[in-house]
């Protein structure tokens, strides 16, 4: 089975991020593979093992995003492709989906495309469904478990109300959640292979498409309102006394 | 301005944020609610009672289960024939997929997780610019965005907008519209968890972390191995957490350590890779307050921390804190509330 894992590079989740003069300042925090997309790579690798297939990691980003692709290679992906084009700097999710769809078609004969649930930076969780729609493929969203049989795939979808078992024919687009299993650590061999890998870079002209126009545009950037950070520690002689005081405080706050 | 509100429901049970979306839409003008599904008359009637001026219903047995492709095609066809300027959705697992796909059909895009929506100019004019505020970078920043295509599709974050009063018995026109049934997936079954109060809608959340398994004085049954004994202990801890939650009419949440430990299902997880919640009160029991957990509770109005370790980072975001053993404090708190709230 030919599997693609779509990954993005984002600032580390520990990063201190501030809005300054209308720009995003991520300090000196490293850029990493989007944590949700580590699950996508893990899910793709599980299916590679189950079906004796291959995994290609696919990313739209700048030259630096090769590091995120190398992480996927070190985890066990067979190939990596970077789509990079200066005209994609302000793309929105529909734009990303159209570019990913074009790249997936150029790769050809793909059976399954695995996405993360959402990106850390934009966090919209739209791109997987939009890529599925652009390709005309089925979407199996928020999978906690994937099972392929012949030309069909069944997932257990994790939704607010519990779990839903959903089936579709291949090719299919799947987004995964944490229940898929902990992303494996890069192996020593994997890291060596990744460090030597030559990652092809495709431009929009390689894909034969024009730059998609962004429909959603940012007009302003803001820091969140400052929070009152003083904590009042409730103490007392016994748990009952502490509980009594705390309950009174919360009742007085009129939040219950 | 022509406004639609999509009412999301699971087996006829509407997501409360749908009504919040109706309330917001009504502040801009006349509002049409959309209800898709099979035998959804009750949802349509509720939409009228929460303020919709009329309801369009796509009722078809093929829409019984949510399937993104069919729902999206139904919405796209409806939009093509009745050209709304704005469609509001509650943010749920279903609406993200539905709105995402329809946006591709309609050459527009979706603004997700709105925490504020302003109309610059005259709301009755279809050309008024709609400016949406939404969190990015896990709530570390907010951005204001606009969309340059119609219709504008916006999903609202739960509990960010007031819920309108229900006017029992209010009626209005309910019109049937065509359902599209081009789904590529089949739903084979459900295992629906008895989640009680949903985390998305909860005004009060009591959450447990790794600390709920840490009560050495509990004696697990002798035939359990170490891991089973840990889970057994954690279940005793979560029982206390659950009792406090139900006394307050709240929902139960958890840290990722508790989920990874097998103490409680993933659907209860709060945080970066779990749910982002916005309760009035968030009571964290035995949770250290890692940055990825805090990413889920930035919109909580008031945080209470119960933790043995006075240096736990959770105290940095808490309004009230107790430094102590949750196995003593949590049941005492349940008792105190039962007495004071007359339960
Ligand atoms: C990419 C990524 C995504 C993540 N996403 C999430 C997420 O969505 N949600 C999330 O929660 N985490 C997430 N994490 C994990 C996060 O970093 C922490 O590991 C996790 O939140 C820790 O859970 P905890 O606070 O329950 O456990 P711990 O950090 O082990 O804390 C347990 C706390 O319990 C206290 N305690 C112990 N016994 C008692 C007792 N008897 N009474 C009172 N207090 C007691 C201890 O003092 C301690 O502070 C993520 C991590 C990564 C890398
Ligand atoms: N630039 C990108 N390159 C490759 N995949 C992406 C990119 N942006 C988003 N994705 C994928 O789409 C998912 C959802 O992203 P989003 O809709 O931005 O929340 C991510 O988890 C990735 O799997």
């Amino acid at each position: 089975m030919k599997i693609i894992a779509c990954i993005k590079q984002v600032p580390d989740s520990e990063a201190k991020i501030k809005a300054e003069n209308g720009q995003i300042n991520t300090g000196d925090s490293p850029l990493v593979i989007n944590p949700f997309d580590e699950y996508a790579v893990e899910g793709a690798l599980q299916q590679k093992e189950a079906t004796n297939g291959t995994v290609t990691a696919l990313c739209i980003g700048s030259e630096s995003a090769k590091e995120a692709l190398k992480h996927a290679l070190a985890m066990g992906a067979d190939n990596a492709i970077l789509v990079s084009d200066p005209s994609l700097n302000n793309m929105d999710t529909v734009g990303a989906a159209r570019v990913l769809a074009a790249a997936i078609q150029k790769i050809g004969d793909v059976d399954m495309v695995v996405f993360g649930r959402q990106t850390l930076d934009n966090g919209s969780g739209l791109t997987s469904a939009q890529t599925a729609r652009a390709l005309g493929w089925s979407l199996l969203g928020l999978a906690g478990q994937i099972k392929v049989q012949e030309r069909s795939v069944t997932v257990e979808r994790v939704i607010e109300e519990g779990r839903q078992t959903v089936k579709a024919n291949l090719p299919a687009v799947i987004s995964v959640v944490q229940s898929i299993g902990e992303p494996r650590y890069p192996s020593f061999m994997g890291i060596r292979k990744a460090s030597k890998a030559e990652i092809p870079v495709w431009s929009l002209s390689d894909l034969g498409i024009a730059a998609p126009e962004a429909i959603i545009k940012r007009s302003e950037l803001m820091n969140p309102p400052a929070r009152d950070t003083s904590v009042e520690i409730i103490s007392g002689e016994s748990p009952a006394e502490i509980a009594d005081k705390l309950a009174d405080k919360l009742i007085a706050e009129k939040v219950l | 301005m022509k406004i639609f509100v999509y009412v999301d429901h699971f087996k006829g049970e509407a997501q409360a944020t749908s009504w919040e979306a109706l309330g917001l839409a009504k502040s801009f003008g006349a509002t049409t609610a959309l209800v898709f599904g099979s035998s959804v008359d009750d949802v349509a009637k509720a939409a009228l009672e929460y303020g919709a001026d009329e309801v369009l219903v796509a009722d078809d047995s093929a829409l019984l289960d949510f399937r993104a492709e069919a729902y999206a095609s139904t919405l796209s066809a409806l939009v093509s024939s009745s050209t709304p300027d704005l469609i509001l959705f509650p943010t749920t697992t279903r609406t993200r997929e539905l709105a995402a796909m329809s946006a591709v059909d309609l050459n527009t895009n979706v603004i997700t997780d709105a925490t504020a929506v302003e109309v610059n100019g005259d709301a009755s004019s279809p050309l008024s610019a709609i400016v949406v505020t939404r969190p990015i970078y896990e709530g570390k920043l907010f951005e204001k965005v606009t969309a340059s295509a119609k219709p504008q599709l916006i999903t609202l974050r739960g509990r960010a907008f007031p819920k309108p009063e229900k006017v029992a018995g209010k009626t209005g026109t309910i019109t049937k519209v065509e359902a599209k049934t081009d789904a590529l997936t089949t739903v084979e079954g459900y295992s629906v968890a008895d989640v009680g109060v949903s985390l998305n809608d909860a005004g009060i959340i009591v959450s447990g972390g790794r600390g709920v398994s840490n009560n050495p004085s509990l004696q697990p049954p002798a035939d359990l191995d170490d891991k089973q004994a840990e889970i057994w202990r954690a279940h005793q801890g979560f029982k206390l957490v659950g009792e406090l939650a139900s006394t307050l009419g709240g929902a139960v949440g958890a840290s990722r350590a508790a989920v990874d430990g097998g103490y409680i299902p993933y659907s209860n997880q709060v945080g970066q890779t779990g749910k982002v919640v916005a309760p009035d009160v968030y009571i964290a029991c035995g949770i250290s307050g890692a940055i990825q957990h805090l990413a889920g509770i930035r919109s909580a109005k008031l945080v209470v921390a119960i933790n043995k370790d006075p240096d736990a980072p959770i105290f940095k975001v808490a309004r009230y804190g107790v430094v102590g053993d949750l196995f003593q404090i949590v049941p005492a708190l349940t008792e105190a509330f039962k007495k004071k709230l007359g339960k």
Side-chain angles (χ1 to χ4, degrees):
Chain A
M1 213 174 48
K2 199 159 163 185
I3 308 161
I4 295 186
C6 290
I7 65 165
K8 191 180 183 187
Q9 190 183 44
V10 297
D12 188 80
S13 89
E14 305 275 346
K16 290 208 165 43
I17 295 178
K18 290 251 142 44
E20 275 171 16
N21 309 320
Q23 302 289 317
I24 297 172
N25 183 343
T26 58
D28 50 9
S29 71
L31 292 169
V32 296
I33 179 172
N34 179 33
F36 297 94
D37 299 345
E38 282 187 72
Y39 294 104
V41 176
E42 173 60 32
L45 291 173
Q46 289 172 8
Q47 294 316 306
K48 164 188 162 156
E49 283 155 5
T51 65
N52 200 11
T54 61
V55 172
T56 300
L58 174 62
C59 174
I60 311 171
S62 57
E63 189 71 15
S64 73
K66 281 188 176 169
E67 290 307 311
L69 287 167
K70 284 186 178 168
H71 185 87
L73 288 171
M75 283 174 73
D78 301 277
N79 310 293
I81 296 169
L82 178 68
V83 177
S84 199
D85 202 298
S87 61
L88 293 175
N89 284 348
N90 294 313
M91 69 179 176
D92 62 13
T93 57
V94 168
R98 297 211 190 276
V99 174
L100 290 173
I104 290 159
Q105 266 152 353
K106 182 175 160 78
I107 293 166
D109 296 324
V110 172
D111 299 293
M112 180 187 287
V113 186
V114 188
F115 283 78
R117 191 184 77 174
Q118 66 188 73
T119 46
L120 262 197
D121 46 1
N122 169 49
S124 70
L126 298 169
T127 311
S128 52
Q130 292 176 329
T131 307
R133 197 65 163 184
L135 288 165
W137 296 4
S138 54
L139 170 74
L140 300 168
L142 307 175
Q145 229 179 67
I146 306 171
K147 220 190 200 134
V148 172
Q149 257 176 331
E150 309 278 320
R151 293 300 295 164
S152 79
V153 53
T154 306
V155 307
E156 258 211 82
R157 182 173 146 75
V158 182
I159 55 173
E160 284 96 343
E161 296 82 6
R163 284 171 179 249
Q164 186 186 32
T165 311
V166 190
K167 189 172 173 178
N169 288 329
L170 296 172
V173 170
I174 299 179
S175 77
V176 298
V177 296
Q178 181 190 310
S179 318
I180 202 82
E182 269 313 287
R184 62 197 67 190
Y185 286 108
S187 66
F188 178 67
M189 289 291 285
I191 293 169
R192 270 206 7 206
K193 197 185 79 191
S195 68
K196 283 190 270 175
E198 285 289 336
I199 297 176
V201 181
W202 291 354
S203 67
L204 288 186
S205 61
D206 292 326
L207 295 179
I209 55 169
E213 194 202 334
I215 289 155
I216 312 276
K217 293 190 187 78
R218 178 182 297 150
S219 60
E220 203 182 320
L221 200 60
M222 296 157 295
N223 288 303
R227 261 189 109 101
D228 175 10
T229 51
S230 57
V231 55
E232 182 177 340
I233 298 290
I234 312 288
S235 47
E237 294 297 309
S238 65
E241 188 190 330
I242 294 171
D244 200 66
K245 284 191 196 164
L246 178 56
D248 283 340
K249 294 273 185 194
L250 291 178
I251 289 166
E253 292 268 4
K254 302 209 184 315
V255 286
L256 297 178
Chain B
M1 193 163 62
K2 192 163 175 183
I3 310 169
F4 284 2
V5 169
Y6 177 83
V7 178
D8 183 57
H9 65 94
F10 179 72
K11 296 183 185 288
E13 207 53 65
Q15 275 272 345
T17 313
S18 305
W19 310 139
E20 294 159 15
L22 264 182
L24 176 68
K26 288 288 289 179
S27 71
F28 301 145
T31 299
T32 303
L34 312 180
V35 179
F36 298 174
S38 175
S39 309
V40 286
D41 287 357
D42 288 348
V43 182
K45 283 184 194 139
L48 291 169
E49 291 181 327
Y50 278 107
D53 298 288
E54 57 159 349
V55 189
L56 303 180
V57 177
D59 199 324
D60 193 301
S61 58
L63 299 183
L64 174 64
D65 294 305
F66 173 82
R67 287 178 301 167
E69 293 93 8
Y71 274 57
S73 296
T74 301
L75 180 63
S76 300
L78 187 58
V79 169
S80 301
S81 61
S82 48
T83 61
D85 301 294
L86 174 65
I87 311 180
L88 300 179
F89 304 77
T91 306
T92 69
T93 54
R94 289 174 288 272
T95 60
R96 264 191 221 275
E97 297 179 354
L98 156 66
M101 287 189 173
S102 245
V104 172
D105 299 349
L106 301 165
N107 282 310
T108 181
N109 206 348
V110 188
I111 301 172
T112 60
D113 299 290
T115 55
V117 178
E118 307 152 60
V119 177
N120 281 349
D122 178 5
S124 65
S125 147
L127 293 174
S128 18
I130 296 166
V131 182
V132 180
T133 305
R134 65 185 294 270
I136 50 174
Y137 293 91
E138 309 169 82
K140 290 174 187 166
L141 295 180
F142 284 82
E143 64 175 359
K144 284 192 180 181
V145 292
T146 54
S148 59
K150 292 265 156 96
Q152 306 207 0
L153 310 182
I154 303 173
T155 81
L156 305 187
R157 178 156 276 192
R159 298 177 51 78
F161 300 88
K163 185 171 165 187
E165 288 296 323
K166 182 174 180 173
V167 181
K170 178 181 164 290
T171 55
T173 33
I174 299 180
T175 311
K176 287 252 150 74
V177 297
E178 194 193 349
K180 300 279 179 191
T181 57
D182 56 335
L184 299 169
T185 56
T186 45
V187 175
E188 309 225 298
Y190 292 93
S191 63
V192 176
D194 181 17
V195 283
V197 182
S198 130
L199 282 172
N200 291 329
D201 305 337
I204 297 169
I205 295 174
V206 188
S207 273
R210 201 196 306 273
V212 298
S213 65
N214 181 24
N215 184 353
S217 65
L218 286 173
Q219 260 316 315
D223 55 338
L224 301 186
D225 64 26
D226 282 358
K227 180 69 201 167
Q228 290 167 327
E230 175 192 333
I231 292 178
W232 183 87
R233 282 202 176 87
H235 284 166
Q236 315 307 308
F238 264 114
K239 211 153 102 200
L240 303 178
V241 167
E243 281 162 6
L244 178 55
S246 67
T247 302
L248 296 173
V252 174
S255 74
R256 174 157 159 191
V259 172
D260 286 349
Y263 309 166
I264 190 162
Y266 169 60
S267 45
N268 294 79
Q269 182 177 315
V270 171
Q272 184 204 99
T273 41
K275 293 214 169 78
V276 174
V277 296
D280 295 323
V281 186
Y282 187 84
I283 306 181
C285 312
I287 292 177
S288 62
I291 188 160
Q292 296 91 354
H293 188 78
L294 302 184
I297 60 170
R298 270 182 239 272
S299 303
K301 292 213 181 80
L302 187 154
V303 175
V304 178
I306 301 169
N307 197 303
K308 283 210 304 210
D309 173 7
D311 297 324
I314 188 78
F315 287 117
K316 293 211 178 77
V317 299
R319 177 75 191 85
Y320 298 107
V322 177
V323 179
D325 181 1
L326 74 92
F327 284 88
Q328 296 182 358
I329 304 296
V330 174
L333 203 51
T334 305
E335 281 317 305
F337 280 123
K338 276 190 178 151
K339 247 186 273 151
K340 290 175 200 281
L341 302 172
K343 290 188 181 167

